[in-house]
Amino acid sequence: MRKVAVVTGAKQGIGRAIAIALARDGFDVAVNCRNEQSAAAAREVVQACMAFGGDADCFAADVSDFEQCAEMVRKIMARFGRIDVLVNNAGITRDGLIARMSEPQYDEVIASNQKSVYNMTRQVTPIMMKQRGGRMINITSVVGLYGNAGQLNYAASKAAIIGMTKSAAKELGGRNITVNAVAPGFIETEMSGKLPEKARQAMTGAIALGRPGTPEEVADAVAFLAGDHAGYITGQVLEVSGGITM
């Protein structure tokens, strides 16, 4: 029986690369997007996944909403019958300096980035417990490790994910469920492409390898943690940052 992976926020960027990498490695993939307006892009990811010979499907749900997560997981189980890997990737930025950051700017980022991890973990945990095993991989950020000016909300959400990862790893380890996090650094995505050139140069200058990473390099780290060779790894934060935090 083929294993099934769920990837949230998978219509573009890192999420898209993760979904395709898992399909490449033999998983059937549930590709999550936020709503029907973004489903066209998600369906393109589904087609890219199916090119590897497995199954894939698109599931629209706002993962910051607990009930939408519950309904999506029910649909995934009806479609595939199991969930072996959960990748909590969905996230947004609403950057701003503390003195001008609005409450909605803060709340939206916490809901999309951090509460979504709780929502999906809560829904999938009983399934993995019943199956007597599973892998959860949470996408955090190096910003959650060292902070970043203008990203109080984003840093808070990503630091919280690290704490959640370690707590869940301790709680679920006895059920043969591993829980790890991947912390990307400066990655070439649609989001990072909007940065001013001066900011891009400053960030690149801080990277030991002297270049930004690619979504595929993050995806390969996730695929490793989802695969057979990572069965004795849990509660860890794997940086994919080119050495930016050294």
Side-chain angles (χ1 to χ4, degrees), residues 137-204:
I137 301 147
N138 300 322
I139 307 304
T140 179
S141 168
V142 294
V143 173
L145 296 169
Y146 64 67
N148 198 30
Q151 289 192 308
L152 176 77
N153 47 5
Y154 187 76
S157 70
K158 294 301 186 177
I161 289 171
I162 293 171
M164 294 170 75
T165 297
K166 292 180 179 293
S167 295
K170 289 183 176 181
E171 185 172 333
L172 300 177
R175 302 299 187 112
N176 195 34
I177 300 169
T178 67
V179 189
N180 292 289
V182 171
F186 182 30
I187 306 297
E188 287 283 14
T189 63
E190 186 177 282
M191 189 182 297
S192 66
K194 297 175 182 178
L195 289 171
E197 185 57 32
K198 187 176 181 180
R200 289 175 60 85
Q201 290 177 359
M203 292 185 73
T204 302

Side-chain angles (χ1 to χ4, degrees), residues 124-137:
V124 171
T125 290
I127 295 168
M128 290 187 175
M129 289 174 68
K130 187 175 181 180
Q131 292 172 181
R132 301 181 183 276
R135 304 285 172 85
M136 297 184 185
I137 301 147

Side-chain angles (χ1 to χ4, degrees), residues 11 31-44 57-62 68 71-72 75:
K11 77 179 179 70
V31 176
N32 162 253
C33 60
R34 187 170 188 176
N35 49 42
E36 288 301 325
Q37 287 69 41
S38 57
R43 281 190 282 270
E44 291 180 6
D57 209 343
C58 171
F59 297 86
D62 180 351
Q68 288 192 42
E71 179 62 20
M72 178 175 69
K75 289 179 179 178

Side-chain angles (χ1 to χ4, degrees), residues 60-102:
D62 180 351
V63 290
S64 70
D65 184 290
F66 187 84
E67 289 304 323
Q68 288 192 42
C69 288
E71 179 62 20
M72 178 175 69
V73 169
R74 283 193 289 269
K75 289 179 179 178
I76 292 170
M77 288 298 291
R79 174 70 168 79
F80 293 104
R82 60 187 297 116
I83 296 172
D84 300 279
V85 174
L86 169 64
V87 182
N88 285 307
N89 167 76
I92 61 171
T93 57
R94 297 287 186 270
D95 296 348
L97 298 174
I98 297 169
R100 293 197 293 271
M101 183 176 288
S102 68

Side-chain angles (χ1 to χ4, degrees), residues 3-67:
K3 292 184 177 181
V4 177
V6 178
V7 184
T8 68
K11 77 179 179 70
Q12 65 183 18
I14 291 172
R16 178 183 190 277
I18 291 169
I20 292 170
L22 292 173
R24 174 202 67 197
D25 286 359
F27 289 92
D28 292 340
V29 184
V31 176
N32 162 253
C33 60
R34 187 170 188 176
N35 49 42
E36 288 301 325
Q37 287 69 41
S38 57
R43 281 190 282 270
E44 291 180 6
V45 178
V46 167
Q47 292 302 312
C49 290
M50 292 177 70
F52 291 96
D55 199 0
D57 209 343
C58 171
F59 297 86
D62 180 351
V63 290
S64 70
D65 184 290
F66 187 84
E67 289 304 323

